[in-house]
Structures are given as structure tokens and as C-alpha cells.
Amino acid sequence: MARPADVAGNSENLEPKPASASAVAAPKGGAYTWFDDRVGFARLGKHNLRKVFPDHWSFLLGEIVLYSFIVLLLTGIFLTIWFKPSMAEVEYHGSYPLMRGIPMSEAFASTLALSFDIRGGLLVRQVHHWAAILFIAGGVAHMLRVFFTGAFRKPREINWLIGVGLMALSLIEGFAGYSLPDDLLSGTGLRFADGLIRSIPLIGTWAEFFIFDGEFPGTAIIPRLYMAHILLIPAILLGLVAAHMSLIVYHKHTQYPGPGRTETNVVGFPLFPVYMAKAGGFFFVVFGVSVLMGALMQINPVWKYGPYNPAQVTAGSQPDWYMGWVEGAIRIIPNWESHIGSTTWSWQIFLPGVGLMGILFTGLALWPFIEQWITGDKSEHHLLDRPRNAPTRTALGVAGMTWYAMFWLGGANDIIATHFSVSLNAISWFLRFAVIFAPVVAFLITKRICLSLQRRDAERVLHGSESGIIERSPEGAYSEAHVPVDVDEAYTLTQHKQYDMVEAGDEGVGQWRARGSKFLVGDEIAKPTAEEIEESHHHGDDEVPSLPAH
């Protein structure tokens, strides 16, 4: 497929253009004209079907999230027909012989029926579970892409906040669905959530009784989770997804820097017919992969765990990956409790469980405004950053991923210990230090790599690229000849915006903002100026193309 920049007529200006009446006139014709006169579909379609979208593989991450959500809705409708959200005790008489005669809840019995007695039930169950994991994994990858490329900057702060809300709700939705079968593994997870709730100072016990309708496990938690899982949270997710997509259309899509791409245009392909065809095809790819995973990769075999019993716990139990980091944090933190009056404050559960999630989502929500305050940049941004050109932000992102990974490993400390014959205590002590020092090391290494890549880009613009030809001078010295980079590449390498470091006292700049500025942009490698590029033309025989000043 041709590059969007090479296709004539595929550039859309961001400046609003008045539409003429003739340009949006609806075709005449009986019922269609009558209907269009009242809803205006012709005008809407004429304006939006030719909307231009940029083309880059990383933009598919958001589409994976959307299409996985559709798969979840479709498979969830099927499962809703057969699942019974009741904790009433029954005796199992289904087709799975190893469970016959065992008392269990109706929820677990209906899950077994879906797995063994309903035609296609096990396949749909597994497709639904894999699609949920793919939905959250795609959401995390999409948010990382947005963070590393600076797509959260003005005017997209609200869309970033919507994305943070979508991610938080997705974790709750996934946990609720994971708990519905009422098997021993999901019951262990519910017991974990019960401990988190009870650890909340002062109101923990009251909150537990309110949520579980009495002492854990009670008889109401499965119906309540079911209501939240199939109705309340999906409705909120649908509203947020619609708002998210609407703002993407309103603000236009961001694009990577390149020839012909500016802050005031979009270079790419139109929605119809190009992107409609691509999106339709990609939806079936995501659907097909989800079905293949559901058919070939077993997940959550509840019949191996058995029904939930509060007196039992699943050995080696592991939550789905997106909740493992919270469990890992609780596993590795030292015992820390306080007794104030007649109350017990379980900091070793509340801080890593409730506190870490609060830190993560609060930090994500506030970052666009923190970065804007530090840089003082109030302008709109429709061109994305290459991660190397925002080295501190990129390093912070990698440090956060490393921090998450250390907690995530902590959630599997018992599995690591048994599989590799390592002391469980040794693993826990190692991770207690690693969760502090590993992110720092990752930050320093990532920032040095980004700065080195910035320096290499500057050298490439000024001195060209290596030709691979070694020359020998009359004096016997060897050197490699360089060839100039083309104008398009040079423009791409120098298109990004750089910020000046501010000092305390300059135009009311305070100490905190000055320190933040030094931390965020103080070490960046300055990109070549137009004067430096012009001067470099006269340093050798090869001529490097000139660039406009930025």
C-alpha cells in the first residue's frame, strides 16, 4: 500500500471550512428524502465519510480494544442466557461425572452446564475470557502508546481522562466476571478482595457487610456482581467508549511527524472506502484470533477447582495478569499493623492494595496537567512525539512498567519458588529491594538510550549517513564517506518541538516548576538549527539539504 504522504488529495486541513448547500444536498427520492429531511443523514455522511485518518500500525492497538469489546458483548449475550447468578445450594447431577452428587451453588452448576451440556458453551466461555484479557491488554498497550508519544496533550486531556476511567472500570469489570462462576479459584480471589475492603481504616468492616450483605461470603455477592458485570459497568463503558470515539473525530486523529504533516492538517486515507474496508477486515481478524484462542488454548477450567468452600483455598492460585501486581504488592510488603484504641489498622494490606491503585490512576490522570504546567506549553498538539525526543517522559514510562513488573512477579513468588527450587523468603526479600531500585535503573538506562538516539539524529542531519565506503587519503588515513540524508528524512528528524529550561524567578516561575523543568528537559540534546545545518553544508564535498527554521 502506498504511503499516505505520497497520495495526492489525502490531506485534510484542520481549519473549519463552510459547507455549501449544493455540496451537502441529499439525493431526491421518496421515502429516503422524507427520512433525510428529518434526521439529516446525507449532510452528516457527506461531511464524515471522507474524513481523513493517518496510517500507522500503532493506531491498531486502539482498534483491538474496540473490537475485543464487541466480541465480549456478543459472547456475553450468549452466556447470559444460560448462566444462573444464584448462590443457592444445589446438588450437581450434570454430565461431568467427577462432580455428581457434590453440593454447589447454582452459579457453579450452571457454569458446568455451559461447559459440558450446552452446545458450543465451553467455546463461547473461553472466547469470552480470552477476549476480556485481550481487551485489557490492548487497552494497556494503547495507553502506553498515547503516553510515550504525547498524544494526551492539549486538546486531548479530556480524552486521556476518559481512557484512564475506561482502564479502571475494565479492571473492575474483569474481576467481576472472573468471580461469577463461584469456583474455588475465583472464591479465593473474592476472599482477597474482602481483605482489601476490610483493611480500609474505620469503615472497612461496615463496607464489607454492605457489599457482601453480611459476613463473607454471604449469599448476595454473586447476584450483585452479575448485575454490575452485565448491566451497570458495560453501560458506563459503552458511554465512555462513545465519548472517546466522538472526541477522536472532533479533534481529528494525531499523526506521526513526516513530510507534509503539520499541526494543522491530517495526511492519510479517507474513512470511506479505505478505512471502512480495513476496519471491517481487522475486526474479523480480531474475532478470528479470539475464537482460535478459545478453541485451542484452555483457560479457567473450573471443573478442576471445584465449587467454592470458605474453609479451603486453591494451592498456587494466581489471578488474571491485570490484578496480579496488586496481589504481589501485598505478598512482598513486610507486616505493618497499628492498634489505635479498639481499632486495628492493617497498613500491609491497605497501602499496597488500595493505596497503590490510587497512586497509579491518580498519577496517570494528573500527568498531562503536570507536564503542561512544567513546560508552560498551552498550544495545541496534533503531531506526535517520537519517544526519544521526550527522554524524561519515556524514561518515566519505562520505570513505571518496571515497577509494575516487580509487583507482578511478587504475585507469583510461590510459583517461582516451587518451579525453580528457590527460597520463597529470598524471592520476597529480593523483590522488596528490586521494587525500589529496578525502576531507578530502568529510568537511567532508558534516558541515556533516548539521549544517545537524539545525538545520533542530530549527527545524521548535520553530517549525513554512513555510505559503507572506506576511503584512503594520500597521507594513508582511512575514513568513511558520508552521504547527505534526503530532505524528507531531515525534516522528520528535526520537526519536534523543544522546550527551554526555566529558572526560578523568571516571570513568576517558582522553585518547584524550575526543578521540574530541569528534570524534564534539562538534559535534552538540542536539535540542529537552520544556521547549523547551513554551516554544515560547507564542511565537506557532500551537500546536505537545507531545512526551514523551526
Side-chain angles (χ1 to χ4, degrees):
M1 183 175 289
R3 293 169 52 200
D6 299 330
V7 181
N10 283 342
S11 177
E12 179 183 17
N13 199 301
L14 295 184
E15 299 298 329
K17 298 179 180 178
S20 63
S22 60
V24 296
K28 303 297 182 182
Y32 178 86
T33 302
W34 182 91
F35 188 73
D36 184 65
D37 286 343
R38 287 151 181 82
V39 296
F41 276 156
R43 178 184 295 270
L44 185 66
K46 186 75 173 181
H47 177 72
N48 289 305
L49 288 180
R50 299 301 296 173
K51 185 174 290 293
V52 172
F53 287 88
D55 192 63
H56 193 271
W57 68 266
S58 65
F59 300 149
L60 296 179
L61 296 173
E63 294 187 39
I64 291 174
V65 180
L66 178 62
Y67 301 151
S68 299
F69 187 54
I70 296 174
V71 174
L72 285 170
L73 293 176
L74 295 176
T75 54
I77 292 171
F78 179 92
L79 297 176
T80 300
I81 297 173
W82 306 103
F83 181 73
K84 297 180 181 179
S86 171
M87 298 181 74
E89 188 173 285
V90 298
E91 189 173 295
Y92 180 70
H93 296 290
S95 61
Y96 186 62
L98 298 181
M99 290 284 176
R100 287 177 188 159
I102 296 179
M104 60 184 63
S105 68
E106 279 194 297
F108 187 70
S110 65
T111 304
L112 290 179
L114 267 166
S115 302
F116 297 108
D117 302 319
I118 306 301
R119 189 181 299 274
L122 180 59
L123 174 63
V124 176
R125 264 196 66 230
Q126 299 200 149
V127 170
H128 189 76
H129 202 136
W130 279 118
I133 292 177
L134 188 61
F135 173 71
I136 299 177
V140 170
H142 178 63
M143 285 193 71
L144 288 174
R145 196 274 301 173
V146 171
F147 179 82
F148 285 127
T149 59
F152 53 80
R153 294 171 296 176
K154 183 182 178 181
R156 296 175 178 83
E157 301 96 330
I158 294 177
N159 227 3
W160 171 258
L161 293 177
I162 291 175
V164 173
L166 280 169
M167 181 53 58
L169 282 174
S170 299
L171 298 184
I172 300 172
E173 174 76 344
F175 180 78
Y178 173 83
S179 304
L180 287 180
D182 199 30
D183 59 285
L184 188 57
L185 181 60
S186 66
T188 302
L190 271 177
R191 170 64 85 179
F192 178 83
D194 171 66
L196 288 183
I197 295 169
R198 283 193 292 163
S199 72
I200 301 174
L202 300 179
I203 67 167
T205 304
W206 177 86
E208 179 205 17
F209 273 62
F210 176 78
I211 293 173
F212 289 91
D213 194 25
E215 191 174 0
F216 178 87
T219 58
I221 188 62
I222 296 299
R224 290 179 176 182
L225 286 176
Y226 183 73
M227 178 186 66
H229 183 70
I230 72 164
L231 181 61
L232 178 60
I233 301 177
I236 299 174
L237 288 175
L238 277 171
L240 291 178
V241 168
H244 190 73
M245 300 296 294
S246 299
L247 285 175
I248 289 176
V249 173
Y250 177 73
H251 291 140
K252 308 297 190 292
H253 205 294
T254 55
Q255 58 186 343
Y256 285 93
R261 303 174 186 181
T262 69
E263 297 283 7
T264 59
N265 72 349
V266 179
V267 178
F269 296 104
L271 176 63
F272 180 82
V274 178
Y275 264 96
M276 279 191 172
K278 292 175 67 176
F282 192 54
F283 166 74
F284 287 108
V285 170
V286 173
F287 204 158
V289 170
S290 301
V291 173
L292 280 176
M293 294 171 71
L296 304 177
M297 302 165 65
Q298 186 182 73
I299 189 169
N300 200 26
V302 296
W303 54 90
K304 291 186 177 181
Y305 311 137
Y308 181 62
N309 185 337
Q312 299 174 346
V313 65
T314 307
S317 59
Q318 303 290 307
D320 279 340
W321 69 272
Y322 49 86
M323 295 302 295
W325 69 288
V326 179
E327 181 168 335
I330 291 177
R331 288 190 186 192
I332 67 176
I333 193 172
N335 185 34
W336 183 18
E337 268 189 359
S338 299
H339 300 279
I340 303 175
S342 60
T343 62
T344 299
W345 301 58
S346 300
W347 303 113
Q348 78 276 21
I349 300 175
F350 175 74
L351 291 180
V354 181
L356 277 182
M357 287 191 285
I359 291 172
L360 173 65
F361 289 108
T362 302
L364 288 174
L366 292 179
W367 177 255
F369 308 99
I370 293 174
E371 184 172 314
Q372 186 182 92
W373 172 69
I374 291 175
T375 61
D377 184 9
K378 305 294 184 180
S379 60
E380 290 194 1
H381 294 272
H382 303 285
L383 283 177
L384 298 172
D385 284 333
R386 301 168 76 205
R388 69 184 63 183
N389 293 328
T392 302
R393 182 207 299 151
T394 302
L396 282 173
V398 174
M401 294 166 62
T402 307
W403 180 71
Y404 178 97
M406 295 301 104
F407 286 128
W408 184 70
L409 288 174
N413 59 356
D414 55 338
I415 303 298
I416 296 173
T418 55
H419 278 62
F420 296 98
S421 301
V422 183
S423 167
L424 179 66
N425 290 335
I427 295 172
S428 298
W429 274 105
F430 170 79
L431 289 174
R432 287 171 184 173
F433 288 98
V435 79
I436 298 173
F437 294 107
V440 176
V441 174
F443 176 87
L444 296 175
I445 292 175
T446 304
K447 188 167 184 177
R448 296 316 305 173
I449 291 174
C450 290
L451 293 175
S452 297
L453 291 173
Q454 279 190 328
R455 189 176 291 107
R456 188 193 70 174
D457 288 346
E459 290 292 324
R460 187 175 178 85
V461 171
L462 291 175
H463 305 296
S465 61
E466 297 85 352
S467 64
I469 301 174
I470 306 299
E471 298 178 345
R472 183 180 180 183
S473 68
E475 293 78 18
Y478 290 91
S479 62
E480 183 179 10
H482 282 59
V483 295
V485 298
D486 58 57
V487 174
D488 288 351
E489 181 182 359
Y491 184 76
T492 302
L493 295 179
T494 59
Q495 196 175 15
H496 58 283
K497 185 175 183 178
Q498 287 191 321
Y499 301 99
D500 296 326
M501 190 173 62
V502 297
E503 300 288 344
D506 295 344
E507 298 181 359
V509 175
Q511 289 286 346
W512 284 105
R513 185 182 167 196
R515 292 173 182 174
S517 177
K518 182 178 181 180
F519 172 74
L520 191 65
V521 301
D523 297 327
E524 289 190 22
I525 306 300
K527 65 181 182 181
T529 63
E531 293 75 16
E532 290 173 332
I533 295 173
E534 185 65 29
E535 183 181 353
S536 70
H537 296 172
H538 307 291
H539 286 174
D541 296 329
D542 291 325
E543 183 178 348
V544 181
S546 59
L547 297 175
H550 296 287

